[in-house]
Amino acid sequence: DVYDFDGEFFDLVGKPARPFHCMVFGRPKQGKSIFSFQFARYLSQFGKVLYIASEEGFGGTLQKKIKDFGLEDNQFVNFSNAKGIEEMRKVIPGHDFVFIDSVNYSRLEVEDVEQLKREFPKTSFITIQQATKGGQFRGSQEYAHNCDIIIEVISGVAHQTGRFQAASEYEIFKQPEEGAEKSQADEKPEPKEQLNLFDI
């Protein structure tokens, strides 16, 4: 049982199983949030989406993104500023897709994410994580081992490795966001190294 993705998102991730777990990571100002909003808007045609903006909250930046991406009138996309696993448990029921932005700010451990997946077995999770200056995601390597799709965002390009599609890229925007730091990994990550995560 899969989601019948098409267009750019099919080219990026293929047709993921129901449910799936996607991890998105990257350094600040590289395009993680923009990609996540684009993905949330796309997923809303397949079910109800919950975007947990625990890091950004309900401030002006989030409201601007909601307006810019035309989500203010989208009845299939809801927003929350829940923090921690207990608050998230209260807002997740009834949603087919849940974005957690970000895992690091919410102080969720690997086991917390796995517990949410067990409690909501029909829900797909998209977990967003910060990255170190070296470009690696923050936190245990188990985050990568436990998910189906890994997307690294570098200078406005999403680089994907996963179970449902060969290594691929998706252009989020033409230029890095204003103030973006130059990534130490300007070139596409080596697919083989990332794909090994799924061989373990």
Side-chain angles (χ1 to χ4, degrees):
D1 193 11
V2 300
Y3 288 104
D4 192 19
F5 282 13
D6 59 9
E8 292 178 323
F9 281 100
F10 168 75
D11 293 339
L12 181 66
V13 300
K15 295 187 177 184
R18 299 172 181 249
F20 64 87
H21 178 190
C22 173
M23 181 178 77
V24 180
F25 75 99
R27 298 176 68 192
K29 305 296 183 182
Q30 297 291 308
K32 296 190 304 298
S33 293
I34 291 177
F35 170 79
S36 298
F37 268 69
Q38 291 174 347
F39 198 19
R41 181 177 60 189
Y42 181 76
L43 289 174
S44 68
Q45 65 185 293
F46 296 97
K48 292 194 69 175
V49 178
L50 175 65
Y51 198 103
I52 301 177
S54 55
E55 184 169 348
E56 203 164 43
F58 288 139
T61 304
L62 178 67
Q63 294 176 31
K64 184 178 185 303
K65 288 177 181 175
I66 292 172
K67 183 177 180 180
D68 289 348
F69 287 92
L71 296 176
E72 67 265 56
D73 297 322
N74 189 323
Q75 61 182 331
F76 295 103
V77 182
N78 296 315
F79 293 87
S80 169
N81 62 349
K83 298 177 180 66
I85 188 170
E86 294 301 330
E87 290 186 17
M88 291 181 186
R89 281 188 173 114
K90 298 175 183 178
V91 296
I92 290 174
H95 294 93
D96 301 290
F97 307 95
V98 174
F99 287 74
I100 302 177
D101 187 1
S102 68
V103 166
N104 309 97
Y105 189 85
S106 301
R107 298 185 178 179
L108 295 182
E109 302 294 336
V110 172
E111 183 52 36
D112 293 328
V113 176
E114 293 305 302
Q115 182 63 32
L116 289 174
K117 288 161 64 175
R118 287 191 293 268
E119 291 181 20
F120 303 97
K122 295 184 179 180
T123 300
S124 295
F125 284 86
I126 300 88
T127 53
I128 301 160
Q129 296 187 224
Q130 301 164 352
T132 65
K133 290 184 178 180
Q136 298 300 310
F137 60 86
R138 294 186 185 278
S140 169
Q141 290 296 312
E142 288 185 56
Y143 284 116
H145 300 326
N146 293 342
C147 68
D148 305 300
I149 304 165
I150 298 174
I151 294 177
E152 180 178 10
V153 177
I154 304 172
S155 299
V157 178
H159 303 269
Q160 181 275 153
T161 54
R163 302 185 191 281
F164 313 115
Q165 180 71 297
S168 56
E169 295 181 358
Y170 166 82
E171 188 173 51
I172 304 167
F173 51 78
K174 299 296 183 183
Q175 297 294 332
E177 295 179 62
E178 185 178 350
E181 301 176 39
K182 185 175 181 181
S183 172
Q184 294 181 4
D186 287 331
E187 297 182 359
K188 179 180 177 182
E190 286 294 330
K192 184 176 180 182
E193 180 179 348
Q194 291 190 340
L195 286 172
N196 283 342
L197 294 171
F198 299 100
D199 297 333
I200 296 174

